[in-house]
Amino acid sequence: QVQLVESGGGLVQAGGSLRLSCAASGGTFSSYTMGWFRQAPGKERGFVAAISWSGGSTYYADSVKGRFTISKDNANTTFYLQMNTLKPEDTAVYYCNADPVSSPITMETRTHPFASWGQGTQVTVSS
């Protein structure tokens, strides 16, 4: 089964940058869409960005368009979230996950629950 491990979070001042990594293993990913999600205290987990593993198509939540970039390294089965111009409202625990049937755009409205979530990586943006 697919295993995903997030890393790269930290504390940064508003306007700064971070790059998150998600290392994937345990499967073949040709038909998968990989995604980043985040959850702030007291809020529901929400969609951030997604990328098609094979074709490279991407889709972003409106709140991060123009600031965040999702990318992938097929050889190392790792995908990334480059976060620039960070804002305090970006503060959250960030998680990655993978879906074998969704497209990047449909990841935002996906209703079927993921089987599991990892520990996530904390991103804190100070004002």
Side-chain angles (χ1 to χ4, degrees), residues 15-67:
S17 299
L18 286 172
R19 189 179 76 158
L20 307 183
S21 298
C22 183
S25 62
T28 56
F29 306 105
S30 295
S31 66
Y32 275 72
T33 292
M34 310 299 198
W36 286 99
F37 304 81
R38 64 187 181 184
Q39 186 168 28
K43 297 182 179 179
E44 295 183 347
R45 183 181 284 113
F47 170 80
V48 176
I51 186 166
S52 171
W53 190 251
S54 180
S57 299
T58 60
Y59 184 73
Y60 299 90
D62 287 343
S63 59
V64 306
K65 286 180 180 177
R67 299 188 298 120

Side-chain angles (χ1 to χ4, degrees), residues 14-126:
S17 299
L18 286 172
R19 189 179 76 158
L20 307 183
S21 298
C22 183
S25 62
T28 56
F29 306 105
S30 295
S31 66
Y32 275 72
T33 292
M34 310 299 198
W36 286 99
F37 304 81
R38 64 187 181 184
Q39 186 168 28
K43 297 182 179 179
E44 295 183 347
R45 183 181 284 113
F47 170 80
V48 176
I51 186 166
S52 171
W53 190 251
S54 180
S57 299
T58 60
Y59 184 73
Y60 299 90
D62 287 343
S63 59
V64 306
K65 286 180 180 177
R67 299 188 298 120
F68 292 9
T69 302
I70 188 169
S71 62
K72 60 186 177 68
D73 181 345
N74 293 57
N76 291 303
T77 58
T78 301
F79 63 103
Y80 308 93
L81 186 69
Q82 178 67 46
M83 305 184 294
N84 298 327
T85 319
L86 282 161
K87 303 175 180 180
E89 53 262 45
D90 295 318
T91 295
V93 178
Y94 284 70
Y95 303 88
C96 59
N97 222 317
D99 192 320
V101 297
S102 294
S103 66
I105 192 168
T106 60
M107 284 282 272
E108 185 172 35
T109 57
R110 185 182 188 274
T111 57
H112 184 74
F114 287 103
S116 64
W117 295 92
Q119 293 298 110
T121 186
Q122 176 72 49
V123 172
T124 302
V125 184
S126 62

